[in-house]
Amino acid sequence: MKRFPIVLAGAVSALAAVVGLHSRTAAGHAISVGPANAGSANGSAGTTQATSPPTTNPSPSTTNPSPSTTNPSPSTTNPPPPTTAPATAVARTSTGPVEQYGYGELSVRVTVTGNKITHLAVPTLQTAEQYSQQLAAQVIPMLTSEVLKAQSINIYGISGATYTAEAYVTSLQSALKNLHFS
Amino acid sequence: MEGLRFRAPNPIDRLPMGRLATGHHHGGAVAVVGRPGRRDRSKNVGARAMVSVTFEPRSVNPRKSKLGARLTPEAPAPRPWVRPVALLLVGLGLGATVGVTLTAETLGELKAPGGIAIFLGGLTGLVGMYLALVMVLLISRIPAVERVLGLDGLVRWHRGLAPWPISLLVAHAVIITIGYAQSARAGVWHEFGTLVTGFPFMLIATVGLGFMVMAAVISIRAIRSRLRRETWWVIHLSMYLALALSFAHVIALGPSFVGHPLTRWVWSVAWASTAGVVLVYRIGLPIFRSLRHGLRVVQVKKEAPGVTTVICSGRNVERLAVSGGQFFSWRFLVPGMWWQAHPYSMSALPRPPYLRLTVKNVGDHSAAVAKLRPGVRVAIEGPYGAFTRHAQRHTTAVLIAAGIGITALRALLEDLPSSAQPVVIIRASREEDLCFRSEVTELVKQRRGKLHELVGPRHQVLLDRRSLPQLVPDLLTRDVYVCGPDGFVADVVRLVGRLGVPEEAIHHEAFSL
């Protein structure tokens, strides 16, 4: 054990080197790590956000898991909108409850314009670790485009991300129910 | 008084060797009765031929101060810088492993539910896997490292390190499950099921951990001592399988690797190279050497009660680099024995085309050695061992052996220069247990050393702090080589240490690997 200091010296210097290298290149890595709020297909703010904030902060929207927090718009619901449909249709937004899905939790915010789902976002996405984070970041845009295409929650699941897809659909379903979207 | 203690089995005890005429001068190195081996080897060397080979010491040319030149090359000398460099590399790897774990973590992730447990789980897992890598490298017998530490040193390090990776990896599995359960707000058992079935490569990694724990449990001393060596060995091999099964989940899920192609690449290369090192040094090199030398048993003879000498003959033995005091792992290719290799010392330097090993019958395998027939093919691994003249720190040496330890000592003695003036102390319970008596006498004489044979029951013939300095007055200026049963070696090492011999001048080798 006389030579233990050699091991220790090696360990400390390598540790310092890795941490130093990391902090120098941290900025570069951050972008690659993941668009956590990679919600909308419409290219919302998701991509420009840095890594840490999205996974972590129980962002304001998580505090209102109940469907009651839908936008003020519900009162204005006029189910039979006149012929002016596309131009005058009111955009209504609702956020579904935060769904636990084993590897994390997410909620879906949906915007319906007239009779059309026009925008989807994931205001809450919190995962336990990097792998699930990356997986969700990959899967959510796919789910979003599927829903926008199908204009309903009847979409094909994504193999390898069954739980994520289920949570996404469940949260979306509640949000759409709030808007009385059929 | 002392004269009674050290029963002199023959008049040579305590006499300067030079005065004795022993009549063991052979003109040549090897006396072969029957057909000469060199011509014969094309026709299945010694298959049934009556061959009698003697390994009597070669005579010394009195006009040259040098002893008879070696007939085979010496094993490469150990490089003293290998040890600090290897330790530094191990330290660097450890630091880097901790480093990539720390930097993969963000403060936010730590604060999230289960974040701390998941971080600790990742850290224990990665450090555990890194130490497992070091364990594999230790036991892979990298020649440069083996020459410095000896195979028994490698095994000792491997054993000493073993509890760390095992406990870290078990802790990893437990802590990370708890972390995920906290994060998903689920029960631990439920979360365990989710982790194993839901995440990629987690099922095989869990199976791998099972194998690892099993292999670790059977290596616990109390349990291992109840198992046959072969049973233990076969089960222990599943460690390799366990590590292979665990590899994928580390790369696919480890926070240090997901989204970090560089660390992923470095980690994969490190493991691939380790696998390569194992394949080359534990499988490739032994097969190459075995094929190159094509050894066969030519003679099996009883050396002493329960002690058997086997002489093998092969091709290119004159190119087999080996030092006196080293050993091979021998694999006798006959039904029932071919699948296990056992370490036995060479009891003399090779005499091309012959090698000699001497075995004490202590187990099934060594007992079966006595029944080997001439013509049996032999595969070898090695040579291994740092118990050679390269270990010397001083010019002179004292060699102490008990029981079957005489084999390695006899070969080492042959490799010592005359300047070593070796004092040889041989301990035996009965006179008939003394092997190679004439050979040792001759070798000691050639080197102007002294031979002390201590024969008698252990409690009557003492080797203690009073008697040893009397036998070796200049003990502190000599290297001490000790060889024999574990208990004997431990006793003598403790004794000479207490008498003031510094640790680096004490050389010994554990027999039970």
Side-chain angles (χ1 to χ4, degrees):
Chain A
M1 283 300 102
K2 281 182 298 190
R3 294 184 177 82
F4 183 69
I6 302 179
V7 182
L8 198 66
V12 170
S13 48
L15 180 61
V18 170
V19 172
L21 204 70
H22 175 81
S23 55
R24 273 179 57 191
T25 56
H29 277 295
I31 293 163
S32 72
V33 165
N37 277 3
S40 70
N42 303 5
S44 72
T47 46
T48 52
Q49 295 204 352
T51 40
S52 38
T55 52
T56 61
N57 56 355
S59 59
S61 51
T62 51
T63 52
N64 45 2
S66 81
S68 62
T69 58
T70 43
N71 276 4
S73 39
S75 57
T76 64
T77 44
N78 304 356
T83 48
T84 47
T88 58
V90 185
R92 297 164 304 146
T93 300
S94 171
T95 303
V98 177
E99 291 290 333
Q100 301 283 338
Y101 68 100
Y103 315 136
E105 53 189 29
L106 60 76
S107 65
V108 179
R109 184 172 61 216
V110 60
T111 304
V112 171
T113 307
N115 232 354
K116 214 163 177 274
I117 300 172
T118 52
H119 187 88
L120 290 154
V122 177
T124 309
L125 173 61
Q126 186 171 324
T127 59
E129 33 56 65
Q130 296 279 337
Y131 172 77
S132 300
Q133 177 75 34
Q134 205 179 55
L135 193 69
Q138 264 175 35
V139 163
I140 288 170
M142 293 161 77
L143 291 166
T144 302
S145 65
E146 287 280 316
V147 171
L148 288 173
K149 216 189 294 166
Q151 285 297 312
S152 78
I153 57 167
N154 297 322
I155 56 168
Y156 294 107
I158 291 170
S159 71
T162 321
Y163 294 144
T164 316
E166 273 174 17
Y168 186 92
V169 167
T170 312
S171 185
L172 174 61
Q173 193 174 17
S174 306
L176 288 173
K177 213 168 168 186
N178 294 336
L179 300 176
H180 306 291
F181 181 89
S182 54
Chain B
M1 192 59 192
E2 293 114 45
L4 289 175
R5 260 196 189 160
F6 303 102
R7 179 181 159 205
N10 57 38
I12 61 172
D13 195 7
R14 304 235 220 152
L15 287 176
M17 286 294 121
R19 270 195 245 152
L20 288 162
T22 53
H24 284 294
H25 290 251
H26 283 265
V30 182
V32 178
V33 182
R35 288 174 293 171
R38 188 100 182 119
R39 269 266 185 92
D40 199 32
R41 70 180 156 81
S42 53
K43 295 188 280 174
N44 196 359
V45 176
R48 294 289 181 270
M50 273 298 296
V51 180
S52 175
V53 187
T54 76
F55 278 74
E56 291 293 339
R58 286 143 48 79
S59 63
V60 183
N61 183 343
R63 275 177 298 182
K64 288 184 184 172
S65 59
K66 262 176 74 179
L67 300 175
R70 291 176 59 105
L71 298 168
T72 59
E74 208 171 354
R79 310 247 178 249
W81 50 262
V82 167
R83 191 196 301 242
V85 168
L87 287 172
L88 185 67
L89 287 176
V90 168
L92 286 172
L94 183 64
T97 306
V98 175
V100 296
T101 316
L102 291 180
T103 52
E105 208 63 25
T106 60
L107 203 60
E109 282 168 343
L110 270 181
K111 282 182 187 158
I116 288 173
I118 289 173
F119 166 70
L120 287 179
L123 185 65
T124 49
L126 208 59
V127 173
M129 282 301 273
Y130 173 72
L131 292 180
L133 181 99
V134 174
M135 297 265 298
V136 173
L137 283 175
L138 270 176
I139 212 63
S140 70
R141 300 143 167 76
I142 298 169
V145 182
E146 198 277 334
R147 269 173 225 139
V148 175
L149 288 178
L151 182 54
D152 74 320
L154 291 177
V155 169
R156 209 166 45 237
W157 278 79
H158 181 86
R159 244 179 232 164
L161 191 58
W164 289 95
I166 272 294
S167 18
L168 283 172
L169 291 174
V170 170
H172 156 75
V174 172
I175 297 174
I176 211 128
T177 310
I178 293 173
Y180 272 67
Q182 287 172 348
S183 160
R185 296 182 179 81
V188 171
W189 285 112
H190 174 263
E191 192 57 31
F192 175 72
T194 313
L195 284 174
V196 170
T197 54
F199 279 74
F201 309 116
M202 274 300 294
L203 187 60
I204 56 169
T206 309
V207 173
L209 184 65
F211 277 124
M212 206 176 271
V213 170
M214 178 183 68
V217 165
I218 60 142
S219 296
I220 295 170
R221 197 173 300 245
I223 296 173
R224 188 181 165 177
S225 60
R226 282 162 209 218
L227 294 173
R228 293 180 63 212
R229 185 178 180 276
E230 297 76 40
T231 315
W232 171 83
W233 182 74
V234 169
I235 300 177
H236 197 71
L237 276 187
S238 65
M239 276 293 184
Y240 288 117
L241 179 65
L243 291 173
L245 290 175
S246 318
F247 178 78
H249 93 287
V250 181
I251 287 285
L253 300 170
S256 313
F257 303 110
V258 174
H260 298 280
L262 180 65
T263 51
R264 206 171 242 197
W265 187 82
V266 171
W267 185 258
S268 307
V269 167
W271 279 91
S273 334
T274 303
V277 164
V278 170
L279 288 176
V280 167
Y281 293 126
R282 296 211 61 179
I283 299 174
L285 194 59
I287 289 180
F288 168 75
R289 288 222 170 105
S290 299
L291 290 176
R292 184 192 199 193
H293 299 298
L295 293 172
R296 281 174 185 274
V297 173
V298 290
Q299 195 189 3
V300 180
K301 64 182 179 193
K302 185 177 160 187
E303 198 67 54
V307 177
T308 308
T309 281
V310 179
I311 293 169
C312 300
S313 161
R315 299 182 298 266
N316 304 315
V317 171
E318 67 282 357
R319 291 163 70 187
L320 180 61
V322 57
S323 291
Q326 287 192 309
F327 63 92
F328 289 91
S329 265
W330 304 85
R331 194 184 290 275
F332 299 101
L333 304 181
V334 288
M337 289 174 89
W338 62 270
W339 57 277
Q340 36 176 319
H342 283 245
Y344 298 125
S345 287
M346 290 196 318
S347 52
L349 290 182
R351 296 287 171 86
Y354 300 109
L355 290 178
R356 185 176 78 178
L357 64 145
T358 302
V359 176
K360 188 180 171 73
N361 303 355
V362 287
D364 299 346
H365 190 270
S366 40
V369 167
K371 301 191 180 92
L372 285 172
R373 313 288 307 176
V376 167
R377 286 175 186 278
V378 185
I380 50 171
E381 293 167 37
Y384 298 128
F387 189 75
T388 66
R389 73 172 188 87
H390 293 301
Q392 262 191 283
R393 294 287 168 273
H394 304 290
T395 315
T396 54
V398 50
L399 281 59
I400 307 173
I404 194 64
I406 184 65
T407 54
L409 188 139
R410 149 76 180 82
L412 171 65
L413 193 53
E414 197 171 355
D415 234 359
L416 288 182
S418 54
S419 59
Q421 298 176 346
V423 175
V424 176
I425 300 172
I426 295 168
R427 172 84 192 75
S429 301
R430 297 171 303 172
E431 196 158 337
E432 59 263 39
D433 290 336
L434 292 165
C435 306
F436 310 123
R437 230 169 158 178
S438 66
E439 293 181 16
V440 171
T441 307
E442 177 65 20
L443 288 167
V444 170
K445 189 188 133 202
Q446 287 174 356
R447 285 156 184 77
R448 300 179 193 290
K450 278 190 176 189
L451 172 64
H452 301 286
E453 291 174 330
L454 311 184
V455 181
R458 199 175 302 176
H459 59 276
Q460 283 180 21
V461 182
L462 295 172
L463 191 58
D464 60 16
R465 55 192 313 171
R466 278 194 59 206
S467 57
L468 187 61
Q470 284 166 359
L471 293 175
V472 197
D474 54 352
L475 181 69
L476 297 187
T477 62
R478 288 176 179 266
D479 280 279
V480 181
Y481 286 88
V482 193
C483 200
D486 288 346
F488 173 82
V489 171
D491 286 349
V492 174
V493 166
R494 208 176 308 126
L495 170 64
V496 295
R498 234 183 268 149
L499 289 171
V501 180
E503 201 183 318
E504 56 271 19
I506 307 174
H507 318 293
H508 56 94
E509 190 149 80
F511 255 40
S512 53
L513 287 176

